[in-house]
mmCIF file with all atom_site columns, all heavy atoms in Angstrom:
data_model
loop_
_atom_site.group_PDB
_atom_site.id
_atom_site.type_symbol
_atom_site.label_atom_id
_atom_site.label_alt_id
_atom_site.label_comp_id
_atom_site.label_asym_id
_atom_site.label_entity_id
_atom_site.label_seq_id
_atom_site.pdbx_PDB_ins_code
_atom_site.Cartn_x
_atom_site.Cartn_y
_atom_site.Cartn_z
_atom_site.occupancy
_atom_site.B_iso_or_equiv
_atom_site.pdbx_formal_charge
_atom_site.auth_seq_id
_atom_site.auth_comp_id
_atom_site.auth_asym_id
_atom_site.auth_atom_id
_atom_site.pdbx_PDB_model_num
ATOM 1  N N   . ASN A 1 192 ? -171.260 188.747 -11.643 1.00 97.00 ? 218 ASN A N   1
ATOM 2  C CA  . ASN A 1 192 ? -171.227 187.260 -11.504 1.00 97.00 ? 218 ASN A CA  1
ATOM 3  C C   . ASN A 1 192 ? -169.794 186.695 -11.547 1.00 97.00 ? 218 ASN A C   1
ATOM 4  O O   . ASN A 1 192 ? -169.621 185.454 -11.565 1.00 97.00 ? 218 ASN A O   1
ATOM 5  C CB  . ASN A 1 192 ? -172.092 186.595 -12.527 1.00 97.00 ? 218 ASN A CB  1
ATOM 6  C CG  . ASN A 1 192 ? -173.556 186.884 -12.269 1.00 97.00 ? 218 ASN A CG  1
ATOM 7  O OD1 . ASN A 1 192 ? -174.035 186.741 -11.152 1.00 97.00 ? 218 ASN A OD1 1
ATOM 8  N ND2 . ASN A 1 192 ? -174.256 187.308 -13.306 1.00 97.00 ? 218 ASN A ND2 1
ATOM 9  N N   . VAL A 1 193 ? -168.791 187.540 -11.599 1.00 98.00 ? 219 VAL A N   1
ATOM 10 C CA  . VAL A 1 193 ? -167.422 187.067 -11.712 1.00 98.00 ? 219 VAL A CA  1
ATOM 11 C C   . VAL A 1 193 ? -166.632 187.302 -10.423 1.00 98.00 ? 219 VAL A C   1
ATOM 12 O O   . VAL A 1 193 ? -166.485 188.442 -9.998  1.00 98.00 ? 219 VAL A O   1
ATOM 13 C CB  . VAL A 1 193 ? -166.714 187.725 -12.905 1.00 98.00 ? 219 VAL A CB  1
ATOM 14 C CG1 . VAL A 1 193 ? -165.309 187.080 -13.113 1.00 98.00 ? 219 VAL A CG1 1
ATOM 15 C CG2 . VAL A 1 193 ? -167.508 187.665 -14.154 1.00 98.00 ? 219 VAL A CG2 1
ATOM 16 N N   . VAL A 1 194 ? -166.242 186.227 -9.731  1.00 98.00 ? 220 VAL A N   1
ATOM 17 C CA  . VAL A 1 194 ? -165.510 186.350 -8.477  1.00 98.00 ? 220 VAL A CA  1
ATOM 18 C C   . VAL A 1 194 ? -164.088 185.875 -8.727  1.00 98.00 ? 220 VAL A C   1
ATOM 19 O O   . VAL A 1 194 ? -163.878 184.737 -9.233  1.00 98.00 ? 220 VAL A O   1
ATOM 20 C CB  . VAL A 1 194 ? -166.188 185.490 -7.426  1.00 98.00 ? 220 VAL A CB  1
ATOM 21 C CG1 . VAL A 1 194 ? -165.470 185.678 -6.052  1.00 98.00 ? 220 VAL A CG1 1
ATOM 22 C CG2 . VAL A 1 194 ? -167.684 185.861 -7.202  1.00 98.00 ? 220 VAL A CG2 1
ATOM 23 N N   . THR A 1 195 ? -163.072 186.714 -8.379  1.00 98.00 ? 221 THR A N   1
ATOM 24 C CA  . THR A 1 195 ? -161.690 186.356 -8.559  1.00 98.00 ? 221 THR A CA  1
ATOM 25 C C   . THR A 1 195 ? -160.907 186.568 -7.308  1.00 98.00 ? 221 THR A C   1
ATOM 26 O O   . THR A 1 195 ? -161.337 187.362 -6.411  1.00 98.00 ? 221 THR A O   1
ATOM 27 C CB  . THR A 1 195 ? -161.058 187.194 -9.707  1.00 98.00 ? 221 THR A CB  1
ATOM 28 O OG1 . THR A 1 195 ? -161.333 188.540 -9.543  1.00 98.00 ? 221 THR A OG1 1
ATOM 29 C CG2 . THR A 1 195 ? -161.555 186.709 -11.094 1.00 98.00 ? 221 THR A CG2 1
ATOM 30 N N   . SER A 1 196 ? -159.801 185.877 -7.136  1.00 98.00 ? 222 SER A N   1
ATOM 31 C CA  . SER A 1 196 ? -159.005 186.031 -5.901  1.00 98.00 ? 222 SER A CA  1
ATOM 32 C C   . SER A 1 196 ? -157.545 185.705 -6.188  1.00 98.00 ? 222 SER A C   1
ATOM 33 O O   . SER A 1 196 ? -157.195 185.215 -7.253  1.00 98.00 ? 222 SER A O   1
ATOM 34 C CB  . SER A 1 196 ? -159.587 185.042 -4.875  1.00 98.00 ? 222 SER A CB  1
ATOM 35 O OG  . SER A 1 196 ? -158.925 185.207 -3.625  1.00 98.00 ? 222 SER A OG  1
ATOM 36 N N   . GLN A 1 197 ? -156.674 186.041 -5.195  1.00 98.00 ? 223 GLN A N   1
ATOM 37 C CA  . GLN A 1 197 ? -155.220 186.061 -5.454  1.00 98.00 ? 223 GLN A CA  1
ATOM 38 C C   . GLN A 1 197 ? -154.488 184.757 -5.388  1.00 98.00 ? 223 GLN A C   1
ATOM 39 O O   . GLN A 1 197 ? -153.567 184.527 -6.176  1.00 98.00 ? 223 GLN A O   1
ATOM 40 C CB  . GLN A 1 197 ? -154.553 187.114 -4.541  1.00 98.00 ? 223 GLN A CB  1
ATOM 41 C CG  . GLN A 1 197 ? -154.943 188.544 -4.883  1.00 98.00 ? 223 GLN A CG  1
ATOM 42 C CD  . GLN A 1 197 ? -154.080 189.559 -4.269  1.00 98.00 ? 223 GLN A CD  1
ATOM 43 O OE1 . GLN A 1 197 ? -153.644 189.405 -3.104  1.00 98.00 ? 223 GLN A OE1 1
ATOM 44 N NE2 . GLN A 1 197 ? -153.758 190.587 -5.038  1.00 98.00 ? 223 GLN A NE2 1
ATOM 45 N N   . GLY A 1 198 ? -154.769 183.929 -4.416  1.00 98.00 ? 224 GLY A N   1
ATOM 46 C CA  . GLY A 1 198 ? -153.959 182.719 -4.270  1.00 98.00 ? 224 GLY A CA  1
ATOM 47 C C   . GLY A 1 198 ? -154.287 181.857 -3.105  1.00 98.00 ? 224 GLY A C   1
ATOM 48 O O   . GLY A 1 198 ? -155.349 182.031 -2.494  1.00 98.00 ? 224 GLY A O   1
ATOM 49 N N   . PRO A 1 199 ? -153.381 180.931 -2.721  1.00 98.00 ? 225 PRO A N   1
ATOM 50 C CA  . PRO A 1 199 ? -153.708 179.993 -1.626  1.00 98.00 ? 225 PRO A CA  1
ATOM 51 C C   . PRO A 1 199 ? -154.175 180.662 -0.368  1.00 98.00 ? 225 PRO A C   1
ATOM 52 O O   . PRO A 1 199 ? -155.130 180.262 0.243   1.00 98.00 ? 225 PRO A O   1
ATOM 53 C CB  . PRO A 1 199 ? -152.359 179.258 -1.450  1.00 98.00 ? 225 PRO A CB  1
ATOM 54 C CG  . PRO A 1 199 ? -151.646 179.346 -2.736  1.00 98.00 ? 225 PRO A CG  1
ATOM 55 C CD  . PRO A 1 199 ? -152.055 180.668 -3.333  1.00 98.00 ? 225 PRO A CD  1
ATOM 56 N N   . GLY A 1 200 ? -153.421 181.714 0.016   1.00 98.00 ? 226 GLY A N   1
ATOM 57 C CA  . GLY A 1 200 ? -153.747 182.368 1.308   1.00 98.00 ? 226 GLY A CA  1
ATOM 58 C C   . GLY A 1 200 ? -155.032 183.120 1.307   1.00 98.00 ? 226 GLY A C   1
ATOM 59 O O   . GLY A 1 200 ? -155.529 183.513 2.412   1.00 98.00 ? 226 GLY A O   1
ATOM 60 N N   . THR A 1 201 ? -155.579 183.417 0.158   1.00 98.00 ? 227 THR A N   1
ATOM 61 C CA  . THR A 1 201 ? -156.849 184.150 0.112   1.00 98.00 ? 227 THR A CA  1
ATOM 62 C C   . THR A 1 201 ? -158.045 183.251 -0.282  1.00 98.00 ? 227 THR A C   1
ATOM 63 O O   . THR A 1 201 ? -159.146 183.689 -0.444  1.00 98.00 ? 227 THR A O   1
ATOM 64 C CB  . THR A 1 201 ? -156.779 185.289 -0.953  1.00 98.00 ? 227 THR A CB  1
ATOM 65 O OG1 . THR A 1 201 ? -156.604 184.729 -2.262  1.00 98.00 ? 227 THR A OG1 1
ATOM 66 C CG2 . THR A 1 201 ? -155.679 186.259 -0.626  1.00 98.00 ? 227 THR A CG2 1
ATOM 67 N N   . SER A 1 202 ? -157.761 181.941 -0.303  1.00 98.00 ? 228 SER A N   1
ATOM 68 C CA  . SER A 1 202 ? -158.770 181.013 -0.811  1.00 98.00 ? 228 SER A CA  1
ATOM 69 C C   . SER A 1 202 ? -159.961 180.807 0.102   1.00 98.00 ? 228 SER A C   1
ATOM 70 O O   . SER A 1 202 ? -161.093 180.560 -0.376  1.00 98.00 ? 228 SER A O   1
ATOM 71 C CB  . SER A 1 202 ? -158.146 179.653 -1.133  1.00 98.00 ? 228 SER A CB  1
ATOM 72 O OG  . SER A 1 202 ? -157.329 179.768 -2.275  1.00 98.00 ? 228 SER A OG  1
ATOM 73 N N   . LEU A 1 203 ? -159.779 180.899 1.413   1.00 98.00 ? 229 LEU A N   1
ATOM 74 C CA  . LEU A 1 203 ? -160.917 180.817 2.271   1.00 98.00 ? 229 LEU A CA  1
ATOM 75 C C   . LEU A 1 203 ? -161.857 182.026 2.108   1.00 98.00 ? 229 LEU A C   1
ATOM 76 O O   . LEU A 1 203 ? -163.038 181.894 2.028   1.00 98.00 ? 229 LEU A O   1
ATOM 77 C CB  . LEU A 1 203 ? -160.476 180.717 3.781   1.00 98.00 ? 229 LEU A CB  1
ATOM 78 C CG  . LEU A 1 203 ? -160.004 179.339 4.249   1.00 98.00 ? 229 LEU A CG  1
ATOM 79 C CD1 . LEU A 1 203 ? -159.382 179.439 5.657   1.00 98.00 ? 229 LEU A CD1 1
ATOM 80 C CD2 . LEU A 1 203 ? -161.159 178.350 4.262   1.00 98.00 ? 229 LEU A CD2 1
ATOM 81 N N   . LEU A 1 204 ? -161.217 183.210 1.950   1.00 98.00 ? 230 LEU A N   1
ATOM 82 C CA  . LEU A 1 204 ? -162.026 184.405 1.717   1.00 98.00 ? 230 LEU A CA  1
ATOM 83 C C   . LEU A 1 204 ? -162.727 184.295 0.376   1.00 98.00 ? 230 LEU A C   1
ATOM 84 O O   . LEU A 1 204 ? -163.860 184.743 0.166   1.00 98.00 ? 230 LEU A O   1
ATOM 85 C CB  . LEU A 1 204 ? -161.117 185.654 1.737   1.00 98.00 ? 230 LEU A CB  1
ATOM 86 C CG  . LEU A 1 204 ? -160.574 186.009 3.109   1.00 98.00 ? 230 LEU A CG  1
ATOM 87 C CD1 . LEU A 1 204 ? -159.524 187.113 2.993   1.00 98.00 ? 230 LEU A CD1 1
ATOM 88 C CD2 . LEU A 1 204 ? -161.688 186.426 4.072   1.00 98.00 ? 230 LEU A CD2 1
ATOM 89 N N   . PHE A 1 205 ? -162.027 183.778 -0.626  1.00 98.00 ? 231 PHE A N   1
ATOM 90 C CA  . PHE A 1 205 ? -162.600 183.542 -1.966  1.00 98.00 ? 231 PHE A CA  1
ATOM 91 C C   . PHE A 1 205 ? -163.788 182.675 -1.850  1.00 98.00 ? 231 PHE A C   1
ATOM 92 O O   . PHE A 1 205 ? -164.915 182.992 -2.374  1.00 98.00 ? 231 PHE A O   1
ATOM 93 C CB  . PHE A 1 205 ? -161.513 182.935 -2.791  1.00 98.00 ? 231 PHE A CB  1
ATOM 94 C CG  . PHE A 1 205 ? -161.973 182.463 -4.191  1.00 98.00 ? 231 PHE A CG  1
ATOM 95 C CD1 . PHE A 1 205 ? -162.555 183.345 -5.095  1.00 98.00 ? 231 PHE A CD1 1
ATOM 96 C CD2 . PHE A 1 205 ? -161.705 181.117 -4.585  1.00 98.00 ? 231 PHE A CD2 1
ATOM 97 C CE1 . PHE A 1 205 ? -162.934 182.880 -6.373  1.00 98.00 ? 231 PHE A CE1 1
ATOM 98 C CE2 . PHE A 1 205 ? -162.031 180.718 -5.840  1.00 98.00 ? 231 PHE A CE2 1
ATOM 99 C CZ  . PHE A 1 205 ? -162.717 181.580 -6.698  1.00 98.00 ? 231 PHE A CZ  1
#
Side-chain angles (χ1 to χ4, degrees):
N218 290 314
V219 186
V220 183
T221 50
S222 184
Q223 290 196 321
T227 63
S228 288
L229 280 171
L230 292 171
F231 173 56

